[in-house]
Amino acid sequence: MCDRSDLSTLCRRLPLRTPAFYMLIGAHATTPILRPGETCDVEGRMRTHLHDAHLHWFDRALIVYGPAIDKSRALALQYFAHERLLKLGRCRLGSGADAESPARSVLTKSRPLYEQMRLLVGALGEDWFEAHDVATREEDDPLAPYEVPEDAERVAVFEKSAYRAAAALVDGDWVLLAGSEIRDRTQPSARRSDITTRAKLLRSGLLKPSPDHPGAIVLLCDLRVTSLDAAGKFIVGNRSSLTRFWRDVGEESPRRLPLF
């Protein structure tokens, strides 16, 4: 475990050009923010993160490496940590672990290593991986941040990685609702039309940094899209098919005012 201010010095002193699992640690309001990752060059990766303006929020880093960790096991640790932290609501960032999971054999072999890491984290006095009893929050309602049009025929929420978003089918067309979060940066595979639309929205002030989730920006207006799949591609910023990550919630949930 290392404070951000000491990270550069630590990475120069230790033999960290080896496969490793790491986690960036910060705090936003009263909620811990954690971003798990893996690398074969900790010094280079940490140097990159320290100079990334989008990662200004982290103030500590946990680095786990050694003879028992190769590239595949580092990826498995990232996968386990990412899934657990997302479930607990402590990881709101797409860290790369939301892609395909490692092979089943690697996951099986890496599970004991992950449990050992959890024990290590507990011994350090941290409880990031442990569940807590918390009061039910407004955001537990899948449609809490959004104002659903009165004439909506269907409503769906996006359930992939860190991004909270909802869409409504109105007069045969899908609309990505105001209050939906999208990734703050597109990937190289992003569609040109999505890049252009993002740029227009940013210039118009209709995309704003999320007050709750670093790494996400919030849509301040309803945005018409051609399909749910197109909405997912716009949210994540790549060309991958994302239709399967939408869940139809109908019109049972109460309508709420948008975030802004």
Side-chain angles (χ1 to χ4, degrees):
M1 183 81 74
C2 180
D3 288 339
R4 181 182 182 122
S5 58
D6 299 325
L7 195 53
S8 295
T9 301
L10 174 69
C11 289
R12 287 196 299 268
R13 289 178 178 174
L14 296 180
L16 292 179
R17 291 187 181 277
T18 183
F21 165 82
Y22 68 88
M23 193 153 60
L24 306 182
I25 306 144
H28 195 76
T30 59
T31 305
I33 302 172
L34 303 123
R35 173 173 174 161
E38 61 80 28
T39 182
C40 287
D41 179 7
V42 173
E43 180 182 0
R45 183 63 58 82
M46 292 301 109
R47 187 185 306 115
T48 299
H49 288 338
L50 285 169
H51 291 89
D52 188 337
H54 295 278
L55 298 177
H56 63 86
W57 52 267
F58 84 90
D59 50 35
R60 290 180 294 162
L62 173 73
I63 301 170
V64 181
Y65 71 104
I69 300 180
D70 57 16
K71 175 72 172 180
S72 62
R73 290 194 175 185
L75 278 167
L77 287 178
Q78 182 192 27
Y79 176 81
F80 283 132
H82 193 261
E83 292 297 300
R84 177 65 176 171
L85 293 169
L86 276 178
K87 183 177 180 179
L88 295 175
R90 295 176 190 143
C91 177
R92 297 292 187 179
L93 298 170
S95 66
D98 54 345
E100 296 296 325
S101 66
R104 182 182 298 273
S105 60
V106 174
L107 289 176
T108 301
K109 292 177 181 178
S110 301
R111 171 64 75 173
L113 189 60
Y114 167 71
E115 296 301 335
Q116 290 176 26
M117 183 188 71
R118 287 183 61 180
L119 290 174
L120 169 65
V121 168
L124 293 172
E126 305 289 355
D127 59 356
W128 310 316
F129 296 107
E130 309 307 321
H132 299 285
D133 292 329
V134 295
T136 301
R137 296 172 297 175
E138 183 181 57
E139 68 181 49
D140 293 330
D141 187 314
L143 295 180
Y146 317 107
E147 184 176 10
V148 179
E150 291 293 338
D151 53 349
E153 303 160 36
R154 286 175 56 197
V155 181
V157 292
F158 191 62
E159 296 183 330
K160 175 178 171 60
S161 189
Y163 309 104
R164 298 183 307 187
L169 184 64
V170 181
D171 294 330
D173 294 322
W174 283 101
V175 176
L176 187 60
L177 299 179
S180 294
E181 293 178 338
I182 68 173
R183 188 174 184 169
D184 61 357
R185 287 177 288 180
T186 57
Q187 299 178 358
S189 62
R191 302 184 303 176
R192 186 178 298 276
S193 59
D194 287 344
I195 295 173
T196 300
T197 300
R198 280 171 173 251
K200 290 180 179 178
L201 291 170
L202 284 167
R203 286 196 301 269
S204 302
L206 295 176
L207 282 174
K208 179 177 180 179
S210 170
D212 299 314
H213 307 145
I217 47 182
V218 181
L219 184 65
L220 304 186
C221 65
D222 290 346
L223 179 67
R224 193 171 296 275
V225 292
T226 56
S227 64
L228 282 181
D229 188 55
K233 291 174 179 177
F234 182 77
I235 291 167
V236 178
N238 64 25
R239 290 179 179 269
S240 300
S241 177
L242 299 164
T243 305
R244 65 188 184 280
F245 294 106
W246 288 96
R247 176 170 64 90
D248 199 318
V249 295
E251 296 185 85
E252 290 80 13
S253 296
R255 289 178 171 80
R256 302 292 181 89
L257 295 175
L259 285 173
F260 304 95

